[in-house]
Amino acid sequence: AATPGPVPAAPAAPTTPSVSASVPQVQLIPASVEGALDAAEEAVDLLLDTGRAPGDILVLTTGDPHPWATHELSFGEESYWAQHDAGDDVFYADAAQVQRAAGRPVVVFAANGGPLDAATGALPVALARAGALLIVCGDAQQINSVLGAGV
């Protein structure tokens, strides 16, 4: 009887899963439109306090921009997006620009106003950009209707 040859090895699993390879955990922090940005700030502080690297966090806003984004944009779009691309600090962007923002392990989404469809259109993309965790700060009923009940 012939002895079997070596069995081919299964392909190696990627060491870093793509952002779309797994479904991130979703956490909802109920907040009013006026309180959503403050709730997002508290979430970022807690993430940093528990050891999450600043470059792991992307914060998206649907209404007024975060003061950091306003300040950084005053130096021009090129400088602003260069900081995003460097990836070494928390990055704040308007949810309308979510297509331009690269995925990060944690996305904090502040539904702090803006056009009615701002959250509806950007939330699914924010979910796709979140590698491990999506934290949504805003109206629970609206968010559940977009992402599915029970979030």
Side-chain angles (χ1 to χ4, degrees):
T3 55
V7 177
T15 53
T16 54
S18 72
V19 171
S20 62
S22 63
V23 177
Q25 179 183 354
V26 179
Q27 290 181 356
L28 172 62
I29 299 174
S32 65
V33 169
E34 299 79 19
L37 195 54
D38 288 338
E41 277 295 308
E42 290 175 20
V44 169
D45 289 344
L46 184 60
L47 289 163
L48 296 172
D49 290 346
T50 57
R52 182 63 75 170
D56 285 355
I57 304 168
L58 171 65
V59 180
L60 299 170
T61 57
T62 60
D64 289 336
H66 186 276
W68 179 91
T70 302
H71 173 75
E72 293 303 320
L73 280 166
S74 71
F75 299 107
E77 290 262 339
E78 190 174 320
S79 170
Y80 172 75
W81 286 104
Q83 290 188 43
H84 167 269
D85 296 342
D88 51 9
D89 205 351
V90 177
F91 190 79
Y92 298 85
D94 187 303
Q97 298 172 318
V98 69
Q99 297 288 354
R100 184 168 178 184
R104 292 206 176 176
V106 180
V107 175
V108 179
F109 188 94
N112 65 327
L116 186 57
D117 62 345
T120 306
L123 255 174
V125 182
L127 181 63
R129 294 286 187 274
L133 177 62
L134 171 64
I135 299 173
V136 185
C137 306
D139 179 78
Q141 188 174 358
Q142 178 190 22
I143 291 157
N144 282 331
S145 72
V146 175
L147 293 180
V151 172

